[in-house]
Structure formats: structure tokens, C-alpha cells
Amino acid sequence: YIEEYFINQLEKNDTFLFAGLVLSLENVSARGIEVKKSGGLNPKIPSYIGGTLPLSSYLSKNVIKLIKNFESYKLPDQILSWLRLQEKVSSLPMEKGLLVETFSRKGNKYIVCYTFQGRNVNQTLGILIMKRLAENNCQPLAFVATDYAIAVWSLKKFNKIKSIFNERLLKDDLNSWLKNTSILKKQFKKISIISGLVDRKIPGKLKTHKQVNFSSDLIYDVLEKFDQNHILLKATKEEALKEMVEIEKIKSFISKIKDNIVHNKLKKISPFSIPLIMEFYTEKIAKDKIIDYEEENIEQELVNEAYKIE
């Protein structure tokens, strides 16, 4: 079972992991989705709606506050040691601003952003950052998004870190991403029915779900080609941005942090980034790892790197 929520975020030819297989998305239709087996080594990992409940601003602020003032709390020694090591290796996330870490590991380049914006926002930001790196020929491979942070993995280094988080990220990249997904067409179908452009229920002529989809998709394609300023297309894009990618929250976040981004260029992995980097190693295809580094205990190796234990 895979959710429509996840499929809506994919573009044609995107690969994803399902039932131990890497599949490539071929087409989305009224009947479902068409896929084929793929040999890609960096598939997306399916996400489910139950895991996308947003992180509240109140909770995120208090988590950062606790981290910044951890010496004032009676925390276990292991946690205190971990937080002090993060301060030594890099720095702690900020209440007003954004902490970004970059480092290399085994020839690969990593960018870790501690946003504290919730999984929905971070998932969208991760996609947009990947597009920005691709534009600059950095060969991005994958990203991981949690409630608190984003980690992006690429083959080449991206030098203009602070330029990632600006208004262009939303104006150009977000619209480009939306056009290549099925989100807009699904949203257009709802709007076309509400506006009366597509009739679903006429006495004696009840249309099937497939017929409604075909009609709305055809109209959408014609308007997109010949009348991109049509009011229903504008309404579709506004609703899609508002409801599906939390555009207002992203806009507010970028506005707040764009002049207060701290970029730490690290010589080794930081303690806080370990759980994120672990995600790139844990998923499996059948019995083989997606990424074969011949590492029996990657978690312990990452911890050792952070502590610089030889």
C-alpha cells in the first residue's frame, strides 16, 4: 500500500522504493499509477500521511530553547556530553536564524540545515534544494527530511550556501516542481467541478470518476498551453501551494532567516547530523544495501568520527 500523498510529490521517471524493489514512475491516471522496475540506486523513500503531522511553532521554539540552555536542565550525562560535543564540533541551532553545516565523507558532500519547521515544510524545502544543486551541476543524489532538519547528499560541493534560501527558491523552483507533479491536475479537477466547468452530476447522465478526470485533465492541458493566465489556473496554483506545500509557512521562514544564516564548514560529521546521515545507509533493496560501503556498523563508525576516535 502506498499513499496518494506520496505519489503526488513525484515527477515522471522519479524512482522510489516499494516492497523491496526500486520502481520508476511512468504515469499517473484515473486507474492508478504505472511503474516499471528500475536499476536506480538512489530511490525516494515513501512517506505516509500519518508521519506528516506538522511540528507546531510553539513546540519547535521550546525545543531550540531547551537545546540552547541545556546546561540549566538536569539532563542525563550522555545527552550533556552529546550537546557539548555538538558545540565543540559545530554550534547549536539558533532561535532566530538558521544553522547550516557542510562536510565531506568518503568523497561525498553533505549539506545539513536545522530548520525546525516540521516534516511537511522540510520535505518541500528538500526537493527545492535538490533542484537548486542540480542547476549548479552539483549532482545531488538524495535528501532526508525530519521535523527538525534536512540533509542533502551530492557528489559535488555547492559553495553558495547562503544563496539557497532566498525568494527565488519559491518563485522559480517551486512553480517548476509543481508543474512536473500531478498535484496541479488533481487540484484543478476540484476547482473545475466547483466552478461548473466540468459537470459531474446531470440528471440521467452521471459521469464516472474516469470521465471527470479525463475532462478536467484535457481542459487543464489546453489552458496551460494557450491561456496560462486563466483565473481557474491561478486559483489552482494558489490552492495547491496553500494546502499541499504550506507555502505561507515557507515564505515566513525564508523571510526570517535570510539575513541570519550561520554556515559552519566542518572537517568531520557533527553529532546532530548523525541520525540524518544514517538514513542514507539504512534502507535496503531485497537483501542488498542501496549503498554498499562494506560497513558492518555504520552507526558506530559515524559516532567514532564525531568523537574522532581512531
Side-chain angles (χ1 to χ4, degrees), residues 94 96-98 162 165 167 253-262:
M94 302 172 291
K96 296 180 180 179
L98 175 68
K162 293 186 179 182
F165 295 94
E167 286 74 8
F253 169 70
I254 289 179
S255 176
K256 289 178 181 177
I257 60 94
K258 65 180 181 180
D259 296 322
N260 191 19
I261 297 175
V262 174

Side-chain angles (χ1 to χ4, degrees), residues 157-174:
K157 185 178 180 180
F158 183 70
N159 294 312
K160 301 176 182 178
I161 295 297
K162 293 186 179 182
S163 70
I164 291 178
F165 295 94
N166 58 35
E167 286 74 8
R168 179 174 168 256
L169 188 69
L170 300 180
K171 288 180 180 179
D172 298 335
D173 295 354
L174 192 53

Side-chain angles (χ1 to χ4, degrees), residues 50-302:
T52 62
L53 297 176
L55 178 72
S56 70
S57 298
Y58 176 79
L59 177 58
S60 63
K61 287 178 181 177
N62 277 275
V63 171
I64 296 176
K65 186 177 179 181
L66 187 151
I67 292 173
K68 293 293 289 185
N69 300 285
F70 70 90
E71 297 286 5
S72 303
Y73 297 90
K74 293 183 179 179
L75 299 175
D77 290 341
Q78 296 92 330
I79 295 178
L80 287 173
S81 174
W82 203 242
L83 290 167
R84 287 166 182 158
L85 182 62
Q86 174 66 24
E87 271 191 317
K88 182 180 179 181
V89 172
S90 177
S91 56
L92 297 176
M94 302 172 291
E95 293 183 57
K96 296 180 180 179
L98 175 68
L99 170 63
V100 180
E101 297 173 344
T102 56
F103 53 87
S104 299
R105 186 177 188 276
K106 295 185 179 294
N108 298 305
K109 314 300 178 184
Y110 294 93
I111 301 173
V112 182
C113 311
Y114 298 95
T115 61
F116 287 81
Q117 293 299 303
R119 191 179 297 270
N120 281 357
V121 169
N122 287 346
Q123 190 83 8
T124 301
L125 284 172
I127 292 169
L128 300 181
I129 293 171
M130 289 274 286
K131 284 189 172 293
R132 179 63 60 83
L133 296 186
E135 288 176 358
N136 288 271
N137 195 34
C138 294
Q139 299 180 30
L141 297 177
F143 79 93
V144 172
T146 67
D147 278 332
Y148 304 102
I150 309 163
V152 182
W153 171 25
S154 65
L155 293 179
K156 295 183 179 180
K157 185 178 180 180
F158 183 70
N159 294 312
K160 301 176 182 178
I161 295 297
K162 293 186 179 182
S163 70
I164 291 178
F165 295 94
N166 58 35
E167 286 74 8
R168 179 174 168 256
L169 188 69
L170 300 180
K171 288 180 180 179
D172 298 335
D173 295 354
L174 192 53
N175 285 326
S176 173
W177 169 63
L178 280 174
K179 283 182 180 180
N180 291 319
T181 68
S182 62
I183 291 177
L184 288 179
K185 284 190 175 181
K186 289 182 178 295
Q187 195 69 24
F188 182 77
K189 183 183 76 171
K190 298 176 184 178
I191 289 177
S192 62
I193 292 172
I194 293 171
S195 67
L197 187 63
V198 173
D199 293 320
R200 187 170 189 176
K201 294 181 180 180
I202 299 177
K205 294 183 179 180
L206 180 62
K207 288 186 177 181
T208 65
H209 179 75
K210 184 177 181 180
Q211 288 173 323
V212 172
N213 268 355
F214 178 80
S215 298
S216 64
D217 286 357
L218 181 61
I219 294 171
Y220 175 87
D221 289 337
V222 172
L223 290 178
E224 182 65 32
K225 185 174 182 180
F226 298 105
D227 190 4
Q228 294 186 359
N229 293 319
H230 194 282
I231 188 171
L232 292 185
L233 282 186
K234 290 181 178 179
T236 297
K237 291 174 182 177
E238 288 177 3
E239 287 299 310
L241 290 172
K242 180 180 177 181
E243 293 183 13
M244 298 183 183
V245 293
E246 299 193 70
I247 186 64
E248 292 304 322
K249 191 171 182 180
I250 296 175
K251 281 182 179 178
S252 176
F253 169 70
I254 289 179
S255 176
K256 289 178 181 177
I257 60 94
K258 65 180 181 180
D259 296 322
N260 191 19
I261 297 175
V262 174
H263 175 203
N264 291 340
K265 300 177 183 179
L266 308 182
K267 294 182 178 179
K268 59 181 179 179
I269 193 170
S270 71
F272 277 16
S273 67
I274 288 178
L276 292 157
I277 305 306
M278 276 289 297
E279 293 292 328
F280 292 124
Y281 294 86
T282 55
E283 298 299 337
K284 293 184 179 181
I285 304 173
K287 296 181 180 180
D288 300 319
K289 283 190 175 183
I290 291 175
I291 307 158
D292 183 13
Y293 283 119
E294 299 181 354
E295 296 173 1
E296 294 182 359
N297 193 338
I298 182 64
E299 183 176 9
Q300 187 59 50
E301 181 172 327
L302 292 173

